[in-house]
Amino acid sequence: MESTKLIVTEKKPEQFSGDLLVYYIELAKKGGFKCENTIVQSWLENSGTLGEFSAKSGECLVFYPQTDKKNGAFSAKRILVVGLGKFEGNETHDELRERCRLSGGTIAQQAAKVKAKKIMICLPEIMDVRPKEVAECISEGVLLGDYHFLKYKKNDPDEESFTGFEEVRLFVQSSTDALQKGMRAGQIAALAAREARNMANEPGNSWTPSHFAAHGRMLAKKYSLKCTVLDKDDMKRLGMGGILAVNQGSPEPPKMVILEYRPIHKSQTVLLVGKGLTFDSGGVSLKPAAGMEDMKYDMCGGAAVMALMQAVGEERPDLGVIAIVPSTDNMAGGAALKPGDIITHYNGLTSEIVNTDAEGRLILADALAYGLEKFKPDCVIDIATLTGAAIVGLGHHRTALLGNNDELVARLLAAGERSGEPLWRLPLGKEYTKQIKSLVADMKNTGGKSAGTITAAAYLEKFVTDTPWAHLDIAGTAWEFTEKSYVPKGPSGIGVRTLLELVRKWKKEEKALSI
Ligand code: BES
Ligand code: MN
Ligand code: ZN
């Protein structure tokens, strides 16, 4: 639910009279359970001997306490105990953060089963993880897990829908400012990622380039950002031959949406470019029918950078952030781009079209060249569902990362790990660039069967010149991402939390990126 209230409270859990009260159970080193509530502890010891609960990470049990308010030990309708697993002491900090997030997702799943609207979670203590971070990651996991896209499910009498939490209370013995901030950080990250999922879930007939433009304008108004939308005429005037070529077969006009956030103090600027392909049919090089409906997700890179701007608008970091979303669909038709055609990009480079289905790089190329020239950022990161080859290489578990700057790549790898969105670097190099050499133009738009993810990046590399640059290929992770309690089926919102983490840490690590 969009408007879930998230509150830190010191009020005794026993007195909480909502739908679900949650206790965490740690697996003690020598065996046995550790729960802060002695009554729950005794229940568990009973069920434990029956072998029904062992407090493994993700394991759950629901109790229905006495409802006799006077004599009952609890006022809540239900008690959920969630296993936290064992702590061996060798877990990395990032693993512990992820364990908190996953437990939050588990809570959301269990709560949805019983349609609990008001819940209270007693926050656990976790080794050397600061309470602030525990609050952050659990809130994030709960809100990411509590995601329901029901807009088009109007008439299913069998499925009385659960729209999500009204209220989530986090119980702690003593609340602090830091803890509240942690909770808020988790909430901002989760809501942004959920917004990205919302955009992705919209089908190609209700999320067009114009919808990206309207969303950009809405964000600009809400968060005092600057929004510029380049339309087809602007693109013609500017010579953006890539995005215009991809749009040729479509009745929907293309848009390039630009959002700028500028901090008060002078600072570095990061440019983000997200592929906003609202439907990819392949064009004249038509895709097979099976699974083509998933190509409405081909705008997940654009959704990620738009959603990031929402979080940036909330947090107002000490770093300039600019997002560009080149957006069009890729359709077949009499006027559509053809194999063999030669196009000219914004920066004058020409490209021979070998396959009209390799369209993402064509629209990103114009956006990259334009953004770099116009904004002269300190670095640029693009994010795109760019190649099926990324799925072949890394499956659905890691986003492919390529780049020309080791420091920027290292920061992204760390941010991905910290946010539970792991990345894996692939190489670039002149041998790969050679694969996209053309007889008749500066390059061609595909490099053959081998190393498809790398040759796509090699194409983009031609447009970034000497600016530190990184490229995230999210084809495998934008949906069907690793099964996790806090990632429901459908679009994952991948990238939003990685980029947010990068932005949050930027100031601390700020030094010029050298190339
Ligand atoms: N949007 C697709 C890539 C994609 C495929 C993303 C499957 C997610 C799942 C992209 O535009 C595309 O079609 N790429 C081609 C490139 C090829 C023609 C060189 C591909 O990967 O097949
Ligand atoms: Mn394509
Ligand atoms: Zn595509």
Side-chain angles (χ1 to χ4, degrees), residues 316-372:
R316 314 203 81 74
D318 234 349
L319 168 72
V321 186
I322 301 172
I324 306 187
V325 180
S327 183
T328 172
D329 48 12
N330 182 24
M331 302 301 283
L337 183 68
K338 304 174 292 302
D341 286 359
I342 296 176
I343 62 165
T344 305
H345 281 294
Y346 174 76
N347 65 351
L349 284 178
T350 60
S351 189
E352 177 193 5
I353 305 304
V354 174
N355 189 321
T356 64
D357 197 11
E359 84 299 336
R361 63 200 76 182
L362 306 183
I363 72 170
L364 290 172
D366 284 338
L368 285 166
Y370 176 77
L372 288 169

Side-chain angles (χ1 to χ4, degrees), residues 185-244:
Q187 183 182 36
I188 288 173
L191 291 185
R194 290 200 328 199
E195 197 53 49
R197 290 177 187 170
N198 279 342
M199 292 179 222
N201 264 318
E202 290 288 352
N205 60 340
S206 22
W207 193 268
T208 65
S210 304
H211 289 81
F212 264 124
H215 193 80
R217 290 198 180 97
M218 182 279 290
L219 286 178
K221 198 160 170 219
K222 184 162 176 193
Y223 297 113
S224 330
L225 311 171
K226 182 174 173 196
C227 179
T228 317
V229 177
L230 304 182
D231 62 19
K232 197 168 172 174
D233 286 339
D234 297 319
M235 293 173 192
K236 281 186 184 155
R237 183 171 47 79
L238 291 162
M240 294 181 164
I243 186 167
L244 286 169

Side-chain angles (χ1 to χ4, degrees), residues 275 277 280-282 285 287 294-295 297-298 330 354-361 384-391 396 445-449 452 455-456 473-479:
K275 174 178 173 184
L277 219 292
D280 183 10
S281 73
S285 313
K287 284 182 183 296
D294 282 347
M295 283 300 121
Y297 297 141
D298 211 15
N330 182 24
V354 174
N355 189 321
T356 64
D357 197 11
E359 84 299 336
R361 63 200 76 182
T385 46
L386 205 62
T387 64
I391 312 176
H396 299 287
N445 80 329
T446 70
K449 263 204 184 126
T455 53
D473 192 332
I474 56 170
T477 49
W479 69 103

Side-chain angles (χ1 to χ4, degrees), residues 132-148:
K132 172 188 176 184
E133 276 183 276
V134 173
E136 176 197 339
C137 296
I138 290 180
S139 308
E140 196 171 300
V142 167
L143 295 179
L144 285 169
D146 182 39
Y147 176 75
H148 315 271

